[in-house]
Amino acid sequence: MKLIAAMSGGVDSAVAAARAVEAGHEVIGVHLALSANPQKYRSGARGCCTIEDSHDARRAADVIGIPFYIWDMAEEFHDGVVEDFLAEYAQGRTPNPCLRCNEKIKFAAVLDRARAMGFDGVVTGHYARTVITPEGKTLHRAIDISKDQSYVLSVLTVEQIAGAIFPLGDTTKVDIREEAAARGLAVAQKPDSHDICFVPSGDNAGWLRDRLGSETGPIVDQSGTKIGEHKGAYTYTIGQRKGLGITVPTADGSPRFVLKIEPVSNTVVVGAREELAITSMKGERPVWCGPAVSANPTRGFVQIRAHGSALACTYSFDGTYLHAQLDEALLGLATGQAMVIYDGDRVVGSATICETN
Amino acid sequence: MSSIYLDHAATTPMLDCAIDAMTIQLSKLGNPSSLHTQGRAARKDIEDAREIIAREVGCLASEIIFTGSGTEANNIALKGLFWKRRAEGRNVLLISAIEHHAIIDPAHWLSTHEKAEVIEIPVTRDGIIDCAFVEDFLSKRGDEVAVIAVMHSNNETGVLQPITQLVEIAGDIPVHCDGVQSFGKVPLSFSELGLTSLTLSAHKIGGPLGIGALVLKRGVEVPALLHGGGQEREIRSGTLNAPSIVAFATAIASHQYNSESVTHLRNHFISHVEKLLPDAILNGAKSSRLPGIVNFTFPGTQSDTLLLLMDAAKVSCSTGSACSAGVHEASHVLLAMGHTEKTAQSSLRFSLGASTTQADIDFALSVLPDVIARGRAANLS
């Protein structure tokens, strides 16, 4: 096949590209320039958007022996990922930008462009697997569960999964680093990137404050009594305990947790830990990674964070919303996060959480 | 098969005679500044080379200052002439809007760090500098101008500039000319043009990389950028690179570039592109151009997509414009010629050289329509 390998400058995408070449594919490496004003050097654990990262990607492509290009996706990334991130926070929700990037950039803008240019698909260094079944190509968890990225890929449609190649899903990260070193790739020991790539300082709350303003507002308890003041409601997360700055203690001395963020009244509601417990959730804008979910209650698992655990549940789809009823209560779940349904290790689909109970 | 090379304006294959000359010189011992036997021998080889290049470009041998690149030569000329003339109270740099970055960037550096005022000379839609603008500007503020810099021909479009006319208009004001693309391709005489300084580069004519020259008029002294042994007229220091200098002279003296045959191939290429892709726009079509540079705009495409597809189809070409962090910027040359950001980003430069053959051109023509079609599809997706 003719493939585009998305190369971030990290070890995973470099090995993924090398493996695709070895499998006999015709591969061209592409680094996505996602920032209009990239920084010169990488700082901390954020890594794919600096000039240094693009040099690392180019060097890896040269060592592998494939052509290399940089595609300017800064505008698409800003409109589709950064703006979305801000808009979600402004509404008191907690979005996952990596998921949005996969949905709108890597497996949309890049895959569409690749296909139009005559390529068959896009190779990435994500830790996930695909399996060819009689019903089509399905998406599965990686062998290395600690690195599994199927959660952030759960926004891919069947059509997108058909054009996605994940060569690393059958290997552990430790082995990938060893393989990179054996292949002579200088990025073999480059630190993993986590955090949000477009927040170079790593200070998400500060970054949000700079862009959304820091209008103070009340922190109230469940009876509506003001017990403190916050510095911008969107910098809080459901379930958050630390950094609330509340001086009025509870009657029994138990800690308070953020229960709700109300952007319209700019209010943060706090309460006791048990108030966070939820047993069901509802998601909007569902995407199916295989056959669509039916109205019939089905047993499976739901995952609500990128590296969270899979929670046993019964799920169904009412034609508009995806519903999951948990076997056991869960504490602290923010709307805006993705609920991803699994059937064993197969990704069934996902939706954006809009309501919890 | 290896790729067809149509990017000779970026760099062109080193000529066999130049490789031979360089190889022989590499085996010779001697620092040309030394006074002993070996030093004198190296010095003689360099001075022979200097005289050869001087003959080819119509200047005195003593007017040639060897540099490490064309970029360095442009920097010495622009900064040097600016500093020299600022001491006489002149603070304006008059440069064309289509200069190479090796002129634009030092000019902007002088503006930021030395408070120079940079004035850009606009160009017509055909890519030629507006001499009337220069005339008008000089009539108003002529005594403020430190130096005028206009390239002999543009590296992206190949459009030749009216240097003779410009020098006439400039009168006593020094004119620097970047002759990198024209040298060895079209007649270029330093003395006939009446220039103050002229930049040359070896690797565009079949010489080695890493060697250039500044021709600087006799009697004009400028402050140095590099200080040290003072080897080149106290203006450029550094041990002279005898193997590269000798190969440079050998390449230019071999006259292997046949303008007529390159022009013939170019015209064949242009007429067939226009037949295959009727909406393609030849940039600078109405102007006199270098034999080897062709710049087309293909509406509805993006040049970086086209480059990838051309490369995959085994044709090496270019946009000719600069990259910023690996991302192609819209060409300032095409923007100055009236293109929009979008159409400027839809252009490709094909540049032919001494070694280009009819088969190369035919192959490029055979893959181009499919590449453009895919490029259009990718742009819509």
Side-chain angles (χ1 to χ4, degrees), chain A residues 74-85 97 100-101 103-105:
Chain A
E75 210 180 303
E76 289 89 340
F77 186 77
H78 183 264
D79 295 352
V81 180
V82 182
E83 287 292 333
D84 173 83
F85 183 78
R100 208 57 68 220
C101 180
E103 180 188 9
K104 294 190 174 168
I105 308 293

Side-chain angles (χ1 to χ4, degrees), chain B residues 286-300:
Chain B
K286 290 185 193 142
S287 309
S288 296
R289 302 187 310 279
L290 288 177
I293 294 183
V294 180
N295 190 309
F296 270 112
T297 297
F298 300 104

Side-chain angles (χ1 to χ4, degrees), chain A residues 2 4 28 30 33 38 51 54 58 67 69-72 112-113 116-119, chain B residues 302 304-309 311-312 325-328 373-375 377-379 381:
Chain A
K2 286 174 71 178
I4 293 287
I28 288 181
V30 165
I51 292 173
S54 78
R58 179 186 297 279
Y69 293 88
I70 294 176
W71 282 2
D72 182 7
D112 290 350
R113 191 166 166 189
M117 289 168 78
F119 290 87
Chain B
Q302 257 189 318
D304 54 353
T305 308
L306 299 183
L307 282 182
L308 186 158
L309 292 168
D311 191 13
V327 175
H328 278 106
R374 283 171 193 265
N379 202 26
S381 69

